[in-house]
Amino acid sequence: MIGMMQSLPRDRLAWTWLAAVYTALIAGTAIATLALLSRNVDLGQELWPDAQTGPQAVYAWRGGAILGYTSGSEVGHICALLAGLLAVRAVKARAWRAGLAVAVLAGTVLALVNLSLAWWKASPQLAQLAGPALYGTVDPGLRHHICVIVAIMLVFTSYLVFAAVGYFLGLKRRNKATLVLLAALLVAAPYSHFIAATILTPRVGL
């Protein structure tokens, strides 16, 4: 721990700049979570439009639940990647283990902000969507929908992965391959929770 603290920047202006940028990443994740929530719930249900049977109605609700409870991760994962890049500025390159720990911690905070806000705001809406028509089949408490919990865990883990990848990308020299990989990750990040929904939702056993 002492070595980690010694490796952090001592300049107050540098600390202020790093804190300001990271605070902006947290705020961006929180705003995206709230702003995109209703859209994501609707989008998740539209993955199975015109549900006719009981299982189809469950799939539609699960799709809304997965995208609702992970709302904002499409922006949050990008913020985690940028937080990893930011950790390179916070910790000396030779102390890479400390830098990785800082990056993963930053990603964890972003994940907790995203998922706790999404859970708080999405729960009432999803409970209302379950309604009498799905009573006994759809449990808003998720007791019968482990797939939703799995999707949340995958999204949480992705935050840590994106932060770690961002950190290691920041350590590398700025060559074309690194820039292409960074661009690909920034494009792919918004689709991670959507892919989780399409893969997990149809599985009745989950």
Side-chain angles (χ1 to χ4, degrees):
M1 179 63 69
I2 295 177
M4 181 186 297
M5 295 303 297
Q6 289 177 342
S7 65
L8 296 176
R10 299 178 180 179
D11 184 79
R12 176 174 293 184
L13 182 60
W15 263 112
T16 302
W17 181 83
L18 291 170
V21 174
Y22 185 61
T23 300
L25 294 178
I26 293 176
T29 300
I31 292 170
T33 300
L34 301 177
L36 298 174
L37 195 143
S38 294
R39 167 190 169 276
N40 280 338
V41 172
D42 292 341
L43 179 61
Q45 291 188 301
E46 290 173 3
L47 293 174
W48 288 269
D50 301 322
Q52 302 296 324
T53 66
Q56 289 175 348
V58 173
Y59 297 162
W61 186 88
R62 285 176 173 175
I66 288 175
L67 295 192
Y69 284 129
T70 60
S71 173
S73 61
E74 53 266 66
V75 174
H77 283 156
I78 296 175
C79 291
L81 190 67
L82 296 176
L85 292 171
L86 195 67
V88 177
R89 301 293 299 272
V91 182
K92 293 180 180 179
R94 65 174 181 271
W96 69 267
R97 290 184 179 83
L100 180 60
V102 170
V104 170
L105 179 60
T108 301
V109 172
L110 290 170
L112 292 175
V113 169
N114 175 197
L115 296 174
S116 59
L117 270 179
W119 187 280
W120 172 57
K121 294 296 291 185
S123 293
Q125 184 173 347
L126 290 164
Q128 185 177 6
L129 286 174
L134 296 177
Y135 182 76
T137 305
V138 171
D139 174 16
L142 306 184
R143 183 178 59 186
H144 303 299
H145 306 281
I146 303 302
C147 63
V148 181
I149 300 298
V150 171
I152 293 172
M153 293 174 62
L154 287 174
V155 168
F156 179 87
T157 303
S158 296
Y159 268 92
L160 277 58
V161 172
F162 275 111
V165 169
Y167 176 72
F168 284 116
L169 283 177
L171 288 179
K172 293 181 176 294
R173 298 178 63 181
R174 303 299 192 274
N175 53 40
K176 288 184 178 180
T178 301
L179 294 177
V180 169
L181 179 58
L182 179 59
L185 287 171
L186 290 174
V187 171
Y191 298 99
S192 57
H193 73 319
F194 182 84
I195 293 172
T198 57
I199 292 174
L200 291 173
T201 303
R203 298 186 59 112
V204 180
L206 291 177

